[in-house]
Amino acid sequence: MNTFWERFKAHKKGFWALRILLLVIGITFTANFWSNDKPLIILCDKGIFFPVLRYYPETCFMKGEDLEMDYLTREFKNFVKKNHAWVVWPIYRHSPYRLSESHHPVPSAPCPLHVLGTDEQGRDLLARLVYGTRICIMFGLCVAVFGTMLGVFIGAIQGYWGGKFDLYTQRLVEIWSGLPVLFMLMIISSFLTPSLEFLAIVMSLFNWRPVSAATRAEFLKARGLPYVLSAKVLGATDFRMMWRHILPNAMTTGISQFPFLVNSGIASLASLDFLGVGLKAGTPSLGELLQQAKSNLHAPWLSVYPLCALATILVLITLTGEGLQDALDPGRSS
């Protein structure tokens, strides 16, 4: 493990890309605590409240209905003054769903109230950009995890059993990999209500081919090695041979494909949202912002910032993947 880490650190571009990527992930995954229209903490005579973490109805603070408290209303401000409550707010008091209270026409240009401007519905662009980036990264990671697991399984049984089973299975894999992924996702999304989990699972069914091919090649090579033949003579079962002896040595090539599967998932989600068949309406998404930019060419901030965010994420993951490949396969870089 130490040798792998030293080799990865020696790959300067990959190492710095990983650092920046972890910083971006940290910023986006903690967005609820620094970009929100709900207080972090409310301390008053009625107790301690954590609105950013829990749902509180209006009746917790004043006479009202059993609806979630709007903490930016005049009624809540009066409650704070009357009860001398201590309120800790996030640094940026905007959520990706709240409409702007500004009277400027939307989409509005960057201003002190909205540092990156607003979208065509008056929602803060910075908040939607950060939350949308988080959703894209989560989606890419889910697709990569499920795709890697499925690809390793299919590639392992192909490579281990080989023969006619491998031949016929490989023909089916080639037919499956020839299907137009984006069009298939569009067709499926038109029949079923899209959600993040649903799209991740469906995308994983089309995204396992690179991992499967790499795992199959490693299993085909490893099944004739002396340690495998010796284990067979000692009576090891097929399951034990595959998952205990061969798989640990064959995972290198599969792991090296992981960052590129993440990239593929992010790009696919952005494409689906841009076409309007991705996540449900209103969900923060980079693709949805780009779709708005197409209809509002007079508002360049709707295209520049999402494109920069998307390109930055994809480049960082690609550079990290290259560093991972070089660290796992020292002969590749030489």
Side-chain angles (χ1 to χ4, degrees):
M1 187 66 183
N2 291 335
T3 305
F4 162 77
W5 182 243
E6 292 299 325
R7 288 199 300 262
F8 183 78
K9 289 173 64 177
H11 193 283
K12 298 298 182 182
K13 291 188 295 184
F15 183 60
W16 278 103
L18 178 62
R19 283 183 167 184
I20 300 173
L21 181 61
L22 291 176
L23 177 62
V24 171
I25 291 175
I27 292 173
T28 56
F29 278 65
T30 57
N32 294 69
F33 298 96
W34 65 266
S35 178
N36 213 323
D37 58 356
K38 300 177 182 178
L40 301 178
I41 302 174
I42 300 175
L43 180 60
C44 60
D45 296 338
K46 295 185 177 182
I48 302 177
F49 303 91
F50 301 94
V52 74
L53 299 176
R54 292 188 57 186
Y55 168 92
Y56 293 108
E58 295 179 357
T59 52
C60 288
F61 304 99
M62 62 191 73
K63 294 181 179 179
E65 300 180 5
D66 193 19
L67 301 174
E68 185 174 12
M69 184 69 205
D70 187 347
Y71 300 95
L72 298 182
T73 58
R74 182 178 300 176
E75 289 77 8
F76 181 75
K77 294 178 182 178
N78 293 335
F79 165 79
V80 172
K81 291 181 180 180
K82 182 179 179 181
N83 294 272
H84 303 286
W86 183 62
V87 182
V88 179
W89 289 93
I91 298 175
Y92 196 63
R93 297 189 191 183
H94 293 286
S95 75
Y97 307 102
R98 190 179 189 87
L99 301 181
S100 174
E101 298 179 357
S102 173
H103 299 291
H104 296 291
V106 294
S108 62
C111 63
L113 181 61
H114 302 281
V115 295
L116 295 185
T118 62
D119 66 359
E120 63 183 9
Q121 296 187 25
R123 298 167 298 195
D124 186 79
L125 185 59
L126 175 59
R128 293 190 68 80
L129 192 67
V130 172
Y131 281 77
T133 301
R134 178 173 69 181
I135 290 176
C136 282
I137 294 176
M138 289 173 58
F139 181 82
L141 289 173
C142 291
V143 168
V145 170
F146 294 144
T148 299
M149 294 171 59
L150 185 59
V152 167
F153 175 76
I154 295 176
I157 60 176
Q158 275 189 267
Y160 182 77
W161 282 324
K164 291 185 177 181
F165 176 82
D166 178 43
L167 179 64
Y168 297 144
T169 307
Q170 189 64 16
R171 299 294 80 79
L172 294 175
V173 170
E174 291 171 358
I175 294 172
W176 184 258
S177 61
L179 296 175
V181 180
L182 193 59
F183 288 110
M184 294 295 294
L185 288 172
M186 291 173 60
I187 293 171
I188 295 173
S189 298
S190 64
F191 285 102
L192 301 173
T193 303
S195 65
L196 188 66
E197 298 80 7
F198 166 76
L199 290 177
I201 293 174
V202 174
M203 186 63 193
S204 301
L205 297 177
F206 294 95
N207 218 29
W208 50 267
R209 180 73 177 86
V211 178
S212 172
T215 306
R216 171 178 173 268
E218 290 295 324
F219 268 73
L220 285 172
K221 180 176 66 175
R223 65 176 185 164
L225 295 179
Y227 77 92
V228 176
L229 299 177
S230 300
K232 284 184 177 180
V233 172
L234 294 175
T237 62
D238 289 343
F239 181 83
R240 183 178 180 85
M241 286 297 309
M242 292 169 64
W243 310 115
R244 180 70 180 272
H245 297 286
I246 302 179
L247 184 60
N249 298 321
M251 279 298 294
T252 299
T253 53
I255 293 175
S256 64
Q257 297 292 327
F258 188 86
F260 304 104
L261 294 183
V262 177
N263 262 5
S264 177
I266 292 174
S268 298
L269 180 62
S271 301
L272 290 172
D273 286 331
F274 178 77
L275 297 172
V277 293
L279 300 175
K280 62 181 180 181
T283 305
S285 169
L286 300 181
E288 185 258 350
L289 290 175
L290 293 174
Q291 185 188 47
Q292 292 187 33
K294 183 186 66 172
S295 306
N296 298 274
L297 298 179
H298 63 282
W301 55 89
L302 286 179
S303 59
V304 172
Y305 298 125
L307 280 175
C308 290
L310 186 61
T312 300
I313 293 298
L314 295 179
V315 169
L316 290 176
I317 295 176
T318 300
L319 293 177
T320 303
E322 291 180 355
L324 182 63
Q325 283 186 336
D326 286 344
L328 292 171
D329 184 10
R332 178 177 177 272
S333 57
S334 60

